[in-house]
Amino acid sequence: MITDSKGAATEAQQYVWGGAIPLQIHLHESEVTTLPPPPPALILAPRVGYLPLLVPQIKPFFSSSLPPGVDTVWFEYKGLPLKWYIPTGTLFDLLCSEPERPWNLTIHFRGYPANLLIPCEGEDSVKWSFINALKEAAYIINGNCKNIMNMSQSDQTELWRSVLNGKIPVRLYVRTIDEDVDELEDAPIVDSWENIYYINCPVEIHGEGKAFSLNDAIKALLPMLFTEEASVDVDSQAPESESGEVSDGGSSRGSQKNEESLSAHTGIFKDGAEIKLVRIQGIEPRLDIPFGWVAKNLMNPEQYLHICIYVKAVQP
């Protein structure tokens, strides 16, 4: 577990690392070969974990009902194939505008949608993706990834004690809501990953003696949404590749001006666009909360801070 300088885990970190989402897993009807069909499987999924790692627990519920063939496991939510390398908690925050408990997912053991998802060979693929993200985060934090490249298997646990200093690696998921909806629960479901915009970028905190807030960080990553008065300089931003890798780039710099605090659900933006929701680890924080606290306490094990944002975009 990531600990503070005194070696004691913070309460927030305990909640993050211990957080779980109740899942109700249904076997897709096209793969059911028995009558009656098997009941759904109920399971608790760690927020900081990944869906493929749950397969050994889930498969026994459905093994007697599967058609012959080789397993190629994948999950979907309301028809949308889920990207397995995105943490489970982030998928939940991004796709469930009104959190549903249990979260109803469909599992497939056949017919992997290779045209939509990169291959997943179970735990090995998840581990490779995880280590790759660790290298990226280490490069952003330290300027190199030697500590990961040279790390032995036993020493990898020390990664959780890494000290976050300076640049903070952020993965921002922006879900656009094109329709003018009053309640998020009425937002249309996500039927394509093309409706999700990714920003993978380090955020560098500047300004001694001045609080750099979550609001400031969002301004640094999404300056195009804010008015001229609230805009800040951004050196680079890079969309996420299909593999989840981050393109090389510089840092984003937050404004050194003290900006007026915004609530977690509203803001002043260009052309009528509006942030409707910010969610991190299932939490809807105030935007004036210190960003350093957010990064230290709400990051994922691979050292990235995953932020989900819902933006209402006004149609031209």
Side-chain angles (χ1 to χ4, degrees):
M1 177 175 289
I2 303 174
T3 59
D4 60 21
S5 59
K6 296 180 180 179
T10 68
E11 183 178 4
Q13 290 164 347
Q14 289 178 328
Y15 277 114
V16 168
W17 284 70
I21 300 170
L23 303 181
Q24 185 165 258
I25 308 294
H26 304 262
L27 179 62
H28 193 268
E29 58 183 12
S30 67
E31 300 178 22
V32 175
T33 63
T34 59
L35 288 176
L42 295 174
I43 190 170
L44 274 177
R47 289 191 60 91
V48 298
Y50 301 85
L51 289 175
L53 300 182
L54 301 175
V55 173
Q57 301 176 56
I58 297 174
K59 186 176 178 180
F61 288 92
F62 304 120
S63 56
S64 62
S65 299
L66 294 176
V70 178
D71 291 347
T72 54
V73 184
W74 54 288
F75 295 81
E76 70 170 75
Y77 176 60
K78 295 186 176 180
L80 179 70
L82 299 181
K83 295 187 175 184
W84 55 266
Y85 51 82
I86 297 178
T88 303
T90 304
L91 288 170
F92 182 72
D93 293 344
L94 181 66
L95 300 176
C96 293
S97 54
E98 285 294 319
E100 61 179 68
R101 295 181 177 85
W103 190 21
N104 284 275
L105 300 181
T106 299
I107 190 171
H108 297 254
F109 290 84
R110 306 289 184 266
Y112 194 86
N115 61 322
L116 299 175
L117 302 177
I118 63 173
C120 179
E121 303 297 332
E123 183 176 347
D124 287 343
S125 292
V126 177
K127 181 179 179 180
W128 176 88
S129 177
F130 179 78
I131 295 299
N132 183 65
L134 288 177
K135 294 176 183 177
E136 295 166 352
Y139 187 86
I140 292 172
I141 296 169
N142 303 315
N144 63 72
C145 56
K146 292 180 180 179
N147 59 332
I148 306 299
M149 298 293 290
N150 299 329
M151 186 177 292
S152 67
Q153 188 72 24
S154 60
D155 288 340
Q156 289 185 8
T157 56
E158 293 300 316
L159 180 65
W160 316 131
R161 300 183 177 90
S162 296
V163 178
L164 195 62
N165 183 23
K167 297 177 183 177
I168 298 169
V170 173
R171 287 189 171 175
L172 192 70
Y173 305 80
V174 181
R175 175 177 170 180
T176 58
I177 302 173
D178 293 330
E179 299 180 13
D180 188 9
V181 295
D182 294 326
E183 301 293 338
L184 284 177
E185 63 183 3
D186 298 325
I189 65 171
V190 177
D191 57 7
S192 170
W193 284 102
E194 294 181 356
N195 295 329
I196 305 296
Y197 181 70
Y198 300 88
I199 296 176
N200 295 265
C201 199
V203 174
E204 187 171 354
I205 300 176
H206 286 280
E208 295 184 1
K210 296 181 180 180
F212 186 83
S213 67
L214 175 59
N215 181 51
D216 294 322
I218 293 174
K219 287 178 183 178
L221 294 167
L222 295 175
M224 71 291 294
L225 289 183
F226 291 82
T227 61
E228 294 299 328
E229 291 79 7
S231 64
V232 296
D233 176 44
V234 174
D235 288 334
S236 68
Q237 65 183 36
E240 184 182 46
S241 67
E242 177 61 22
S243 66
E245 298 180 355
V246 181
S247 303
D248 292 337
S251 65
S252 299
R253 293 197 291 269
S255 172
Q256 295 187 28
K257 295 174 58 180
N258 282 327
E259 301 291 348
E260 181 179 357
S261 296
L262 302 177
S263 72
H265 301 287
T266 62
I268 303 172
F269 309 97
K270 288 184 178 179
D271 301 324
E274 178 185 1
I275 290 182
K276 300 294 292 183
L277 178 69
V278 175
R279 189 179 283 156
I280 308 171
Q281 297 288 10
I283 300 168
E284 299 174 17
R286 289 171 53 92
L287 293 192
D288 58 358
I289 191 171
F291 185 63
W293 185 95
V294 174
K296 179 180 179 181
N297 293 284
L298 302 184
M299 72 168 68
N300 266 57
E302 81 301 62
Q303 302 288 289
Y304 270 90
L305 178 66
H306 296 261
I307 303 176
C308 297
I309 295 183
Y310 290 60
V311 175
K312 183 181 74 173
V314 177
Q315 293 287 352

